[in-house]
Amino acid sequence: MKTIIIEDEKVAAEALQTLIGEIDTTIQVAAVLQTIDESVEWFDTMPPPDLAFMDIHLADGSAFKIFEQTTVACPVIFITAYDEFALKAFEVNSIDYILKPVCAKELQRAINKFRNFKGTFDIDSKLLSGIKKPATCKSCFLIPFKDKLIPLSASDIATVFIDGKTLKIMTFDEKAYFIDSTLDEWMLQLDPSQFYRANRQYIISRQAIKDISIWFGGKLSVNLCVSTPEKVIVSKARVGHFKNWMSGLYNSSVSNFQ
């Protein structure tokens, strides 16, 4: 049986891995992931594990964001120091919720629970993997501007980004439109073969990319043909996913953030 551990504290991850090995030698830990970015990329590119152990508070935010950005086609045992997220945990793939520090008895109980319900989750995972999200890509948008609605072709959009607390669309001729929406909502409407969610602030058009610079810490800086208030940085965890997208190997079934 293969599992993954999503935990941003190295010591805690190592202790959990050791405890899992002591409880059940048939469980193989396929990966230890520390961030939302790493986890999303892993679920985007790797076959789903049989089970995931997941901390809720990660270095780059709440683990629940993982479920918003990709398909997690496996049951999850949440392990956290906080008990206020128990109800939210069971809104996703949770089969158990263990409070830190983890003891062998609680972990054994959770693993036994997983094994008892494994058949049900196997069926659910197959159904999940076969579901394709409906095509919602648009070729044209109506953008509110003063007292009018301006038709805007998707092919005219160079980037969509967060400017302060407002979402801003920048066209190739550097016209700017401020809109009342979110990046998540826009990414669902744009063609994922032509637009990429580079990070939490930017969606970029393939046609707007002028060149790419190697950045600090294994990151990439994407230079656009239009001006932006800050550099568009792709995290180290997303570099492989971004390169695949640039090569045309995008995954159209998931939102390609973040």
Side-chain angles (χ1 to χ4, degrees):
M1 182 176 81
K2 289 188 177 181
T3 186
I4 63 170
I5 295 174
I6 301 175
E7 167 64 71
D8 63 338
E9 296 180 10
K10 185 178 180 180
V11 174
E14 290 176 348
L16 178 59
Q17 187 168 358
T18 299
L19 196 57
I20 291 170
E22 292 173 352
I23 290 173
D24 192 330
T25 57
T26 67
I27 299 178
Q28 176 189 351
V29 178
V32 178
L33 310 169
Q34 295 184 311
T35 67
I36 294 169
D37 287 353
E38 287 179 344
S39 303
V40 170
E41 181 177 17
W42 200 93
F43 281 115
D44 281 355
T45 58
M46 302 295 289
D50 298 296
L51 175 66
F53 293 91
M54 187 180 297
D55 189 10
I56 291 178
H57 287 282
L58 301 175
D60 54 347
S62 168
F64 293 118
K65 291 183 179 179
I66 296 170
F67 297 87
E68 298 171 3
Q69 297 162 27
T70 189
T71 299
V72 181
C74 72
V76 176
I77 294 175
F78 284 98
I79 298 176
T80 180
Y82 306 90
D83 61 1
E84 64 264 33
F85 299 102
L87 289 177
K88 187 172 180 62
F90 286 98
E91 293 176 3
V92 289
N93 302 31
S94 175
I95 59 168
D96 216 328
Y97 189 98
I98 302 175
L99 291 176
K100 293 181 179 180
V102 181
C103 70
K105 183 179 179 180
E106 287 294 303
L107 188 61
Q108 178 73 73
R109 177 186 57 77
I111 292 173
N112 289 343
K113 184 177 180 181
F114 160 73
R115 291 194 180 282
N116 290 336
F117 289 99
K118 187 176 185 300
T120 301
F121 277 100
D122 283 346
I123 294 171
D124 290 344
S125 297
K126 289 175 183 177
L127 289 173
L128 259 174
S129 62
I131 294 173
K132 293 185 177 179
K133 293 186 179 180
T136 56
C137 301
K138 294 183 179 180
S139 59
C140 188
F141 300 87
L142 289 176
I143 307 299
F145 183 74
K146 297 182 179 179
D147 59 344
K148 298 179 180 180
L149 291 173
I150 307 295
L152 179 64
S153 173
S155 61
D156 291 331
I157 298 173
T159 178
V160 184
F161 61 95
I162 298 173
D163 187 6
K165 294 184 178 181
T166 309
L167 206 63
K168 186 176 183 178
I169 298 174
M170 180 72 73
T171 64
F172 282 95
D173 56 1
E174 303 221 17
K175 291 181 180 178
Y177 300 97
F178 292 91
I179 53 176
D180 183 17
S181 187
T182 68
L183 283 182
D184 288 338
E185 291 170 346
W186 269 83
M187 195 63 239
L188 290 173
Q189 299 178 81
L190 294 168
D191 182 352
S193 71
Q194 297 303 313
F195 291 88
Y196 189 82
R197 182 76 180 268
N199 53 44
R200 288 186 177 83
Q201 287 77 39
Y202 281 88
I203 295 172
I204 55 177
S205 165
R206 178 187 297 276
Q207 302 305 317
I209 299 174
K210 183 171 60 176
D211 53 45
I212 303 164
S213 303
I214 305 300
W215 205 240
F216 303 104
K219 303 175 184 177
L220 297 178
S221 175
V222 184
N223 305 308
L224 304 183
C225 63
V226 296
S227 58
T228 56
E230 57 189 342
K231 290 185 178 295
V232 181
I233 302 296
V234 176
S235 71
K236 180 180 179 180
R238 297 287 288 169
V239 166
H241 191 271
F242 176 71
K243 287 180 178 179
N244 284 340
W245 175 77
M246 285 293 293
S247 302
L249 303 175
Y250 67 95
N251 184 349
S252 63
S253 68
V254 297
S255 173
N256 53 11
F257 164 59
Q258 186 162 318

